Amino acid sequence: MADAVQEFNDYRQKMNEKLLADNNKVIKRIFNLDTNAYAEGALDVKTKELLGLVASAVLRCDDCVKYHMETCYKQGLSKEQVMEALSIATLVGGTIVIPHLRRAYEFWEALEANAAKSE
Amino acid sequence: MADAVQEFNDYRQKMNEKLLADNNKVIKRIFNLDTNAYAEGALDVKTKELLGLVASAVLRCDDCVKYHMETCYKQGLSKEQVMEALSIATLVGGTIVIPHLRRAYEFWEALEANAAKSE
Amino acid sequence: MADAVQEFNDYRQKMNEKLLADNNKVIKRIFNLDTNAYAEGALDVKTKELLGLVASAVLRCDDCVKYHMETCYKQGLSKEQVMEALSIATLVGGTIVIPHLRRAYEFWEALEANAAKSE
Amino acid sequence: MADAVQEFNDYRQKMNEKLLADNNKVIKRIFNLDTNAYAEGALDVKTKELLGLVASAVLRCDDCVKYHMETCYKQGLSKEQVMEALSIATLVGGTIVIPHLRRAYEFWEALEANAAKSE
Amino acid sequence: MADAVQEFNDYRQKMNEKLLADNNKVIKRIFNLDTNAYAEGALDVKTKELLGLVASAVLRCDDCVKYHMETCYKQGLSKEQVMEALSIATLVGGTIVIPHLRRAYEFWEALEANAAKSE
Amino acid sequence: MADAVQEFNDYRQKMNEKLLADNNKVIKRIFNLDTNAYAEGALDVKTKELLGLVASAVLRCDDCVKYHMETCYKQGLSKEQVMEALSIATLVGGTIVIPHLRRAYEFWEALEANAAKSE
């Protein structure tokens, strides 16, 4: 299970490097913005990561959900807080969000297993 | 092929149990509503399952489509009726629904193969 | 309120005539398909109209919802049946469907007022 | 401008009352859930309202955005915080969110004008 | 009819100025990117504007459709070309695109009327 | 990697044949329209394929993206042109398009590897 995290990150990093090496200016800037938008500002990083998570969940993008779950995990947000955010996503986005909720929950378990392993 | 049905149901059940054990009240209630909304009322169960199927198809949620296809199958709806419902979904939702239509058709075949096997 | 129906139908008809006069073959054929897909087949017209209504509601297209509500009304479906279909749409599509539900309900009232007036 | 708030709330309340009087159990429960989901839990009310706002914005539901903006305003969130949340929505949801951002900004001004008037 | 163009542009400009004056860096950069992405590159401006139009149409954003229609008009694309692009959008995005097609067609007529008036 | 192209085409063809053999008239006609809509008209085939690609990308349909990428490749569009089209899709559709961009890029590499192999 823990390998799900590694596998996701490896593929993501490999393809991001290719996309950025390709020199398309618009794509490069969007990637850049993506890094900056979640930095501390009027809202703290935890809140922003939860916003990114919920936006990803209602738009039903599994990879985006995984990415923000990992950052939420690293930021020290609890499973209860993350699930509470995802419950709002499920209410606003409807029962079609549920399959993504299942996969999100599984990924959170992988993040926990991964952390336990590296202790 | 028939195993596609078993595999889908096993994963779905395993993760649903975890989600419900987690004690998030909003998620629990949405799951509960999901069970009740398709019960007979002013509309019969067959019609409601077709509505759930078409809603899932235009929103392009493969897992939701599979779930409602299985219920449609169990309710005795014919392949022709299900395909007619999905043809409306494809017209309303556009050609981006077609890849989901291919996977839906394949899942219906798995449901039929599964039923033949258990006879 | 009853005029909401007339106004909707007038604009719809006027613009459809322009679009069809414009001689774009793909658009013409899609319009044609749209007429045929709701004809009686393995499923009856009432069921098909409810499918069109729910597909329109979860995709949050007010004009499509209005169009199918009017056809549902003409087909003799009851308000209770239509609302039951829309409750499934709200569950599957989430609370973002609610503003469309409000406008749909208002349009149904306009259909009823319109019918009462022409008696 | 301030009347935009009143007008929105009046229509919303009038139609919600009709929908709830109509006795559809699924719709009633979804409305009920909608009230409960934003109550304080593992996350505080401010964070939850921002989550509802961002979910509404990426799903491009103007009425849902307005509703959550008003609650954010009442909760004492600053314009800067709300705009920061909406900037994440615009990045995640793309430039198609921009027209909704314009209308959201205008509604915030109406909320402020409304508050100034009632002082 | 021609005033529809002026009214759209005035509101858009007024609100964009407010958004940009507000000093949210992420929003500013997205606006900036939006200007640059449609500049000539490996693809010419006309093609890029058609891409922006079709993306806006399948995502059903009326204001985005209007914006790109105006740029298409200014770039000298013919009504036939624009309608051909929109016919692909309607096929890919489904019949829920049709109400937006009606409004797009009406806006094109406003652009033509506007141009005739200023000659 | 090159096998990704073959695998995609084989599954697509196998299931399309089943869907068409099934004799649902609406589905048959939509498939037929899908073939005709991309033929040369007021716009050339290359432009139309790019429109289909961008529509598929913003609607986040991986299989539709793959299909249009292959046609773009066969039409002689360069990687730079295709990436420029996809950069517009990412800007309009937001960062949730990025995971699809990664998979699209990988598929383009498979198309190139496939072509190199068959030389």
Side-chain angles (χ1 to χ4, degrees):
Chain A
M1 270 289 277
D3 291 341
V5 178
Q6 192 64 47
E7 199 184 315
F8 170 71
N9 286 332
D10 287 350
Y11 177 74
R12 191 175 166 276
Q13 191 185 330
K14 182 184 76 177
M15 295 314 298
N16 280 3
E17 278 166 15
K18 289 190 181 193
L19 283 169
L20 294 174
D22 219 41
N23 246 337
N24 179 298
K25 218 189 275 184
V26 175
I27 291 176
K28 276 187 166 172
R29 287 199 193 164
I30 294 174
F31 270 72
N32 207 257
L33 259 181
D34 203 24
T35 310
N36 296 340
Y38 297 97
E40 175 149 3
L43 300 171
D44 59 29
V45 175
K46 283 185 184 181
T47 303
K48 286 185 157 186
E49 281 301 326
L50 288 172
L51 295 174
L53 177 65
V54 163
S56 302
V58 295
L59 292 171
R60 299 188 289 132
C61 173
D62 282 333
D63 282 7
C64 314
V65 166
K66 283 179 185 170
Y67 173 75
H68 286 291
M69 284 203 106
E70 188 166 4
T71 328
C72 285
Y73 189 84
K74 286 181 182 165
Q75 287 292 327
L77 283 153
S78 70
K79 185 168 141 187
E80 203 186 346
Q81 290 173 315
V82 165
M83 288 312 291
E84 210 162 286
L86 288 176
S87 75
I88 289 180
T90 311
L91 182 63
V92 175
T95 56
I96 44 154
V97 174
I98 291 177
H100 305 270
L101 196 60
R102 285 195 278 264
R103 292 190 282 271
Y105 194 93
E106 193 179 29
F107 196 72
W108 186 268
E109 290 184 327
L111 287 164
E112 286 180 338
N114 213 23
K117 215 173 56 181
S118 51
E119 269 165 25
Chain B
M1 270 289 276
D3 291 343
V5 178
Q6 193 63 46
E7 197 184 314
F8 170 70
N9 286 332
D10 287 351
Y11 178 75
R12 192 177 165 274
Q13 192 184 331
K14 182 185 74 177
M15 295 314 298
N16 281 2
E17 279 166 15
K18 289 189 181 193
L19 284 169
L20 294 173
D22 218 42
N23 246 338
N24 179 298
K25 219 188 273 185
V26 174
I27 291 176
K28 277 188 165 172
R29 287 200 193 164
I30 294 174
F31 271 72
N32 206 257
L33 259 180
D34 203 24
T35 310
N36 296 341
Y38 298 97
E40 176 149 4
L43 299 171
D44 60 30
V45 176
K46 283 185 183 181
T47 304
K48 286 184 156 187
E49 281 301 328
L50 288 173
L51 294 175
L53 177 65
V54 162
S56 303
V58 296
L59 291 171
R60 299 188 290 130
C61 174
D62 281 333
D63 282 6
C64 314
V65 165
K66 283 179 185 170
Y67 173 75
H68 286 291
M69 285 202 106
E70 187 166 3
T71 327
C72 285
Y73 189 84
K74 285 180 181 166
Q75 287 291 327
L77 283 154
S78 71
K79 184 168 145 189
E80 202 186 348
Q81 289 173 316
V82 165
M83 288 313 290
E84 212 162 285
L86 288 176
S87 75
I88 288 179
T90 311
L91 182 62
V92 176
T95 56
I96 43 155
V97 174
I98 292 177
H100 305 270
L101 196 60
R102 286 195 278 264
R103 291 191 281 271
Y105 195 93
E106 192 178 30
F107 196 73
W108 187 267
E109 289 184 329
L111 287 164
E112 286 180 337
N114 213 22
K117 215 176 56 179
S118 53
E119 266 165 26
Chain C
M1 271 287 280
D3 291 343
V5 178
Q6 193 63 45
E7 197 184 315
F8 170 71
N9 286 332
D10 287 351
Y11 178 74
R12 192 177 164 273
Q13 192 184 331
K14 182 185 77 176
M15 295 314 298
N16 280 1
E17 278 166 15
K18 290 190 180 193
L19 282 169
L20 293 174
D22 217 43
N23 246 337
N24 180 297
K25 216 189 276 184
V26 174
I27 291 175
K28 276 187 164 173
R29 286 198 194 165
I30 294 174
F31 271 72
N32 207 258
L33 259 181
D34 202 25
T35 311
N36 296 340
Y38 297 96
E40 175 149 3
L43 299 171
D44 58 31
V45 175
K46 283 184 184 181
T47 304
K48 286 184 157 187
E49 282 301 328
L50 289 172
L51 294 174
L53 177 65
V54 163
S56 303
V58 294
L59 292 170
R60 300 189 288 131
C61 173
D62 282 333
D63 282 6
C64 314
V65 165
K66 284 180 185 171
Y67 173 76
H68 286 292
M69 285 202 107
E70 187 166 5
T71 327
C72 285
Y73 189 85
K74 286 181 183 166
Q75 286 292 327
L77 282 153
S78 71
K79 184 167 143 189
E80 202 187 348
Q81 289 173 315
V82 165
M83 287 312 289
E84 210 162 288
L86 288 175
S87 75
I88 289 180
T90 311
L91 182 62
V92 176
T95 55
I96 43 155
V97 174
I98 292 177
H100 305 270
L101 196 59
R102 286 195 278 263
R103 292 190 282 271
Y105 195 93
E106 192 178 31
F107 195 73
W108 186 268
E109 290 184 327
L111 288 164
E112 286 180 338
N114 212 23
K117 216 175 56 179
S118 53
E119 265 165 28
Chain D
M1 271 288 279
D3 292 341
V5 178
Q6 193 64 47
E7 199 185 313
F8 170 71
N9 286 333
D10 286 351
Y11 178 74
R12 191 176 165 275
Q13 191 184 333
K14 182 184 77 176
M15 295 314 298
N16 280 2
E17 278 167 14
K18 289 190 180 192
L19 283 169
L20 293 173
D22 218 42
N23 246 337
N24 180 298
K25 217 188 277 184
V26 175
I27 291 175
K28 277 187 165 172
R29 287 198 193 165
I30 294 174
F31 271 71
N32 207 258
L33 260 180
D34 203 24
T35 310
N36 297 339
Y38 297 97
E40 176 150 1
L43 300 171
D44 59 31
V45 175
K46 283 185 184 181
T47 304
K48 286 185 157 185
E49 281 301 327
L50 288 173
L51 294 175
L53 176 66
V54 162
S56 302
V58 295
L59 291 171
R60 299 189 287 133
C61 173
D62 282 333
D63 282 6
C64 314
V65 166
K66 284 179 185 170
Y67 173 75
H68 287 292
M69 285 201 107
E70 188 166 4
T71 327
C72 285
Y73 189 84
K74 286 181 182 166
Q75 287 292 327
L77 282 154
S78 71
K79 185 168 143 188
E80 202 187 347
Q81 289 172 317
V82 165
M83 288 313 289
E84 210 162 287
L86 289 175
S87 75
I88 288 180
T90 311
L91 182 63
V92 175
T95 56
I96 42 154
V97 174
I98 291 176
H100 305 271
L101 196 60
R102 285 195 278 263
R103 292 191 281 271
Y105 196 93
E106 193 179 30
F107 195 73
W108 187 268
E109 290 184 327
L111 287 165
E112 287 180 337
N114 213 23
K117 216 174 56 179
S118 51
E119 268 165 25
Chain E
M1 272 287 280
D3 292 343
V5 178
Q6 192 64 45
E7 197 185 315
F8 170 71
N9 285 333
D10 287 351
Y11 178 74
R12 191 177 165 274
Q13 192 184 332
K14 182 185 76 176
M15 294 314 298
N16 281 2
E17 278 166 15
K18 289 190 181 194
L19 283 169
L20 293 173
D22 216 43
N23 247 338
N24 180 298
K25 216 189 275 184
V26 175
I27 291 175
K28 276 186 164 171
R29 286 199 193 163
I30 294 174
F31 270 72
N32 207 258
L33 259 180
D34 203 25
T35 311
N36 296 340
Y38 297 96
E40 176 150 3
L43 299 171
D44 60 30
V45 175
K46 282 185 184 181
T47 303
K48 285 184 158 187
E49 281 301 328
L50 288 173
L51 293 175
L53 177 66
V54 162
S56 302
V58 295
L59 291 172
R60 301 189 287 130
C61 173
D62 282 333
D63 282 6
C64 313
V65 165
K66 283 179 186 171
Y67 172 75
H68 287 291
M69 285 202 106
E70 187 165 6
T71 327
C72 285
Y73 189 84
K74 286 181 181 165
Q75 286 291 327
L77 283 155
S78 71
K79 184 168 145 187
E80 203 187 347
Q81 289 173 317
V82 164
M83 287 313 289
E84 211 162 287
L86 288 176
S87 75
I88 288 180
T90 311
L91 182 62
V92 176
T95 55
I96 42 155
V97 174
I98 292 178
H100 305 270
L101 196 60
R102 286 195 279 263
R103 292 190 281 271
Y105 196 93
E106 192 178 30
F107 195 73
W108 188 267
E109 290 184 328
L111 288 164
E112 286 180 338
N114 213 24
K117 216 174 53 177
S118 52
E119 267 166 26
Chain F
M1 271 289 277
D3 291 342
V5 178
Q6 193 63 47
E7 198 184 314
F8 170 71
N9 286 332
D10 287 352
Y11 178 74
R12 192 176 165 275
Q13 191 184 332
K14 183 184 76 177
M15 295 314 298
N16 280 2
E17 279 167 13
K18 289 190 180 191
L19 282 170
L20 294 173
D22 217 44
N23 247 338
N24 179 298
K25 217 188 273 183
V26 174
I27 291 175
K28 277 187 164 171
R29 286 197 194 167
I30 294 174
F31 270 72
N32 207 257
L33 258 181
D34 202 26
T35 310
N36 296 340
Y38 297 96
E40 177 150 1
L43 299 171
D44 58 31
V45 175
K46 282 185 185 181
T47 303
K48 286 185 157 187
E49 281 301 328
L50 288 173
L51 294 175
L53 176 66
V54 162
S56 302
V58 294
L59 291 171
R60 300 188 289 131
C61 173
D62 282 334
D63 282 6
C64 314
V65 165
K66 284 179 184 170
Y67 173 75
H68 286 292
M69 284 202 108
E70 188 166 4
T71 328
C72 285
Y73 188 85
K74 286 181 181 164
Q75 286 292 326
L77 283 154
S78 71
K79 185 168 142 187
E80 203 187 346
Q81 289 173 316
V82 164
M83 288 313 290
E84 211 162 286
L86 288 175
S87 75
I88 288 180
T90 310
L91 182 63
V92 176
T95 55
I96 43 154
V97 174
I98 291 177
H100 305 270
L101 196 61
R102 285 195 278 264
R103 292 191 281 272
Y105 195 94
E106 192 178 30
F107 196 73
W108 186 267
E109 290 184 327
L111 288 164
E112 286 181 337
N114 212 22
K117 215 175 57 180
S118 53
E119 267 166 27

